[in-house]
Amino acid sequence: MPAISVDATTFALFGALGDLALRKLFPALYQLDRAGLLHGGTKLLALSRDAGDPQTHMATIEQAIRRYVPDADIDESVMARFLARMQYLTIDFRRREDFAPLVQMVAPEMPLIAYFATPASVYGAICENLAHAGLAEQTRVVLEKPIGHDLASSRVVNDAVAEFFPESRIYRIDHYLGKETVQNLIALRFANSLFETQWNQHHISHVEITVAETVGIEGRWGYFDQAGQLRDMIQNHLLQLLCLIAMDPPSDLTADSIRDEKVKVLKALAPITPEMLSQRVVRGQYASGSVNGKTVPGYLEEENSNAESSTETFVALRADICNWRWSGVPFYLRTGKRMAQKVSQIVIHFKEPPFYIFAPEQRSLISNRLIIRLQPDEGIALQVMTKEQGLDKGMHLRSGPLQLNFSETYKRSRIPDAYERLLLEVMQGNQNLFVRKDEIEYAWKWCDQLIDGWSRLGDTPKLYPAGSWGPVASIALITRDGRSWYGDL
């Protein structure tokens, strides 16, 4: 039996036939059931505007689970139990009267979790209709990104939700915060004096955060061209990672203690004025090229594309944090589509010793790095210097990793998907892994200055061939500081 105790809930998934629900959420819920982490009394409600035969829609959900869950994890008895928990309901999220049947499906004695896998434009309407139906008092609402496209629009969405729900029952999802390695950042930093005593400007030279994808926009032109890589990735995922790396120790592990420290980091981010953009920020757009041996089209050649679009598919930037811990330590952030490799990693570069006593020709080897991989293989490696083995080697040095690979170290344990952890945390009523309203606002405020600067300057993205590491200017961004991106081939 699992050591975690989870109470019975009614889980209502709005947008149940959308890509996110079918590809991620239902498979994650199935895995929780398979692990014994769904209470026997938990009910699942699949809510969508799509009319038609409910059994047909249920079959669509089952097919998605079988497609996205590994074959080895499919247990027919669990599948039957899981589907027996579920009911489908056609509902127009904006129509108040459509919520009356929902009331009959919700058990009054248990909490209701309302997961919004819908456009943010209907969050307010769903909340209002839940409240009108008398369901608000027992409900936790889960909001998917993006929450707005700038500070002003994010406030409209958050204020619409806050009119009916207090902050203590609002769970804003950033799925990166559910990744096992991201969770280990807290343990790595604050449970190991080896790292925490070195985690400052006295010992760290610089930090890199890279989130690179080999895929293009995958048919999401309508959404992505309105968003771009800065809004889609920097504003949420990469800034959240930066906060976890840079924050001071919280007083405890409660949600607000952790989020208070993250907000301090966001408030300390140095502004990047229009005059600084050319030296601190690079935006790019992929042209045609080759990825994994296959020829792929450029962004402007994708299906349903707008040939005049100036939306960026790549951003690299230097961020500086104005506080005592990080003064003078640059954080280099980089993210893009159609890049050379799929990789998400954080690299902490430690400063070199003040005096070098080994052979001068080996000096370029001296660089201790802590490498935290989020994907594709989650793990942590500490790059250290050791002497080469052999009587004839003298004091010749070699650089090698002290490595923890999660999939190899914990071979008997399946690494859960980020959504599994996040859904479980919502069911338990824990907000530690979710983003508070003020975090959203400070992140948007910092990103809005960049967007405004690009607009004022008439900046257009620099082209880079698909299958590369981005525009040449992104290499210059870091080399002008005497550094280079780690691991680029």
Side-chain angles (χ1 to χ4, degrees):
M1 293 293 291
I4 297 173
S5 175
V6 183
D7 293 335
T9 60
T10 301
F11 189 96
L13 179 48
F14 291 80
L17 298 181
D19 179 69
L20 175 65
L22 296 176
R23 187 166 49 90
K24 287 290 186 180
L25 301 178
F26 283 118
L29 287 166
Y30 166 84
Q31 292 283 20
L32 290 177
D33 201 351
R34 177 173 168 265
L37 293 172
L38 291 188
H39 189 282
T42 290
K43 295 172 58 179
L44 305 175
L45 305 179
L47 312 177
S48 172
R49 292 177 296 180
D50 291 45
D53 178 22
Q55 292 306 312
T56 300
H57 295 318
M58 290 283 287
T60 298
I61 293 169
E62 180 180 355
Q63 290 167 9
I65 295 171
R66 293 184 182 277
R67 177 181 179 184
Y68 293 111
V69 171
D71 291 343
D73 292 347
I74 296 295
D75 182 316
E76 295 303 333
S77 62
V78 174
M79 182 69 75
R81 181 179 70 206
F82 181 78
L83 295 174
R85 298 177 182 272
M86 194 182 305
Q87 290 178 274
Y88 180 87
L89 176 64
T90 298
I91 180 171
D92 186 328
F93 305 147
R94 296 184 185 275
R95 285 171 55 89
R96 181 172 291 183
E97 54 269 31
D98 280 16
F99 282 68
L102 177 61
V103 176
Q104 306 305 314
M105 295 179 172
V106 176
E109 69 278 5
M110 66 177 67
L112 171 64
I113 296 172
Y115 196 114
F116 301 165
T118 68
S121 58
V122 297
Y123 289 177
I126 298 174
C127 291
E128 181 178 358
N129 290 330
L130 285 171
H132 184 266
L135 296 174
E137 291 302 317
Q138 67 192 82
T139 300
R140 305 166 194 159
V141 293
V142 186
L143 313 184
E144 268 287 348
K145 81 166 187 82
I147 298 177
H149 61 271
D150 57 14
L151 176 59
S153 60
S154 74
R155 282 177 170 165
V156 170
V157 174
N158 279 317
D159 289 348
V161 175
E163 187 175 346
F164 304 99
F165 294 93
E167 186 68 28
S168 61
R169 287 193 280 118
I170 300 173
Y171 294 72
R172 297 175 189 83
I173 286 268
D174 185 326
H175 74 269
Y176 268 52
L177 297 183
K179 290 181 178 292
E180 191 74 22
T181 319
V182 175
Q183 289 304 293
N184 255 310
L185 275 174
I186 299 290
L188 185 75
R189 285 195 54 193
F190 303 126
N192 295 285
S193 59
L194 167 69
F195 292 119
E196 184 50 31
T197 57
Q198 309 293 304
W199 214 261
N200 54 54
Q201 45 93 8
H202 296 296
H203 303 285
I204 291 177
S205 163
H206 62 289
V207 177
E208 292 179 52
I209 306 174
T210 293
V211 178
E213 302 172 279
T214 55
V215 298
I217 56 171
E218 298 184 292
R220 297 191 306 152
W221 176 274
Y223 159 72
F224 188 85
D225 200 54
Q226 294 298 313
Q229 199 73 357
L230 182 79
R231 292 184 174 99
D232 193 45
M233 294 296 293
I234 297 282
Q235 187 273 335
N236 41 77
H237 299 326
L238 274 77
L239 285 184
Q240 282 293 317
L241 294 178
L242 181 147
C243 286
L244 289 172
I245 298 164
M247 72 182 199
D248 282 338
S251 57
D252 53 44
L253 293 179
T254 59
D256 278 335
S257 291
I258 292 172
R259 296 189 291 189
D260 285 346
E261 297 304 329
K262 289 198 290 178
V263 166
K264 290 178 185 178
V265 174
L266 292 169
K267 291 172 70 174
L269 282 173
I272 300 177
T273 65
E275 295 74 25
M276 300 164 63
L277 277 175
S278 63
Q279 299 294 307
R280 295 294 179 91
V281 186
V282 175
R283 63 197 297 247
Q285 185 184 89
Y286 65 83
S288 59
S290 177
V291 177
N292 296 328
K294 294 183 178 180
T295 301
V296 296
Y299 180 70
L300 301 183
E301 299 160 353
E302 296 277 13
E303 185 178 357
N304 299 321
S305 65
N306 167 17
E308 304 298 320
S309 174
S310 60
T311 298
E312 78 283 350
T313 63
F314 173 96
V315 177
L317 59 84
R318 170 179 167 162
D320 291 87
I321 300 172
C322 299
N323 62 22
W324 281 28
R325 181 183 288 265
W326 296 113
S327 178
V329 179
F331 286 71
Y332 299 99
L333 279 56
R334 176 177 61 163
T335 179
K337 299 188 179 301
R338 291 291 191 211
M339 298 190 72
Q341 295 177 14
K342 177 180 179 178
V343 61
S344 296
Q345 67 183 15
I346 301 162
V347 185
I348 313 294
H349 296 260
F350 292 93
K351 290 184 175 180
E352 295 183 4
F355 183 70
Y356 188 69
I357 62 174
F358 299 93
E361 62 270 18
Q362 299 183 86
R363 178 137 201 175
S364 60
L365 295 174
I366 295 293
S367 184
N368 292 137
R369 304 181 186 95
L370 180 65
I371 303 155
I372 303 160
R373 297 187 310 276
L374 311 182
Q375 63 179 17
D377 299 313
E378 293 189 63
I380 299 167
L382 178 62
Q383 202 81 15
V384 298
M385 303 303 300
T386 57
K387 175 191 173 297
E388 283 200 19
Q389 299 296 311
L391 297 175
D392 60 336
K393 299 299 183 181
M395 208 56 173
H396 196 274
L397 301 177
R398 63 182 295 273
S399 176
L402 302 176
Q403 189 158 304
L404 170 62
N405 184 296
F406 290 173
S407 60
E408 293 181 4
T409 303
Y410 305 111
K411 289 182 179 179
R412 296 185 180 180
S413 302
R414 186 184 67 87
I415 298 176
D417 180 78
Y419 276 101
E420 294 173 43
R421 180 181 300 278
L422 295 172
L423 292 174
L424 183 62
E425 294 292 320
V426 177
M427 292 177 186
Q428 294 179 292
N430 297 332
Q431 288 189 306
N432 301 51
L433 307 185
F434 298 87
V435 184
R436 205 167 58 191
K437 179 183 177 182
D438 52 350
E439 289 182 73
I440 296 280
E441 294 193 351
Y442 281 111
W444 270 126
K445 183 178 180 181
W446 193 76
C447 288
D448 280 356
Q449 62 166 336
L450 304 180
I451 297 169
D452 182 61
W454 288 335
S455 177
R456 288 188 191 183
L457 298 175
D459 181 84
T460 56
K462 297 171 173 60
L463 294 180
Y464 63 96
S468 71
W469 283 106
V472 173
S474 67
I475 299 173
L477 170 75
I478 193 169
T479 55
R480 71 169 58 100
D481 292 338
R483 302 178 174 109
S484 60
W485 295 104
Y486 174 79
D488 285 12
L489 302 176

